[in-house]
Every structure is written in structure tokens, then in C-alpha cells.
Amino acid sequence: MGAGDQWPAIHNQLLRSEILAIATPTWLGHLSSVAQRVLERMDATLSETDDEGSQL
């Protein structure tokens, strides 16, 4: 994350959502680079918890 990065706003939307579906084109069996980045950033947030210690 850096200047101009929209991830914090997207992350907040993900936390408020009930379901997430990711559709992406594939090329030779690989996800698009944008979809891969989203999944990597989501993976990095798996250990986040709220003030009560519940996983987000």
C-alpha cells in the first residue's frame, strides 16, 4: 500500500460484504495479475482481529 492505493477502501467494502465472488480471465491456467494481487492482499489480512479478538 502506498500513495494513491485504493486497497484500504476496497478492504472496508470486503469486510462489510456477506459474500465475495471473483471472476477473472485465465491464460494458460493462471489468474490475471489483478485477481492474483487481490487474493494475495486478502491472504495477508487473515490474521486481522477486531477489538474483541474476533477474526474479521
Side-chain angles (χ1 to χ4, degrees), residues 9-28:
I10 294 168
H11 183 241
N12 288 333
Q13 289 178 331
L14 289 173
L15 292 176
R16 291 190 311 267
S17 67
E18 293 184 25
I19 191 167
L20 173 67
I22 296 179
T24 181
T26 59
W27 186 69
L28 296 175

Side-chain angles (χ1 to χ4, degrees), residues 19-39:
I19 191 167
L20 173 67
I22 296 179
T24 181
T26 59
W27 186 69
L28 296 175
H30 296 282
L31 302 176
S32 71
S33 61
V34 173
Q36 184 65 39
R37 264 184 280 155
V38 168
L39 293 172

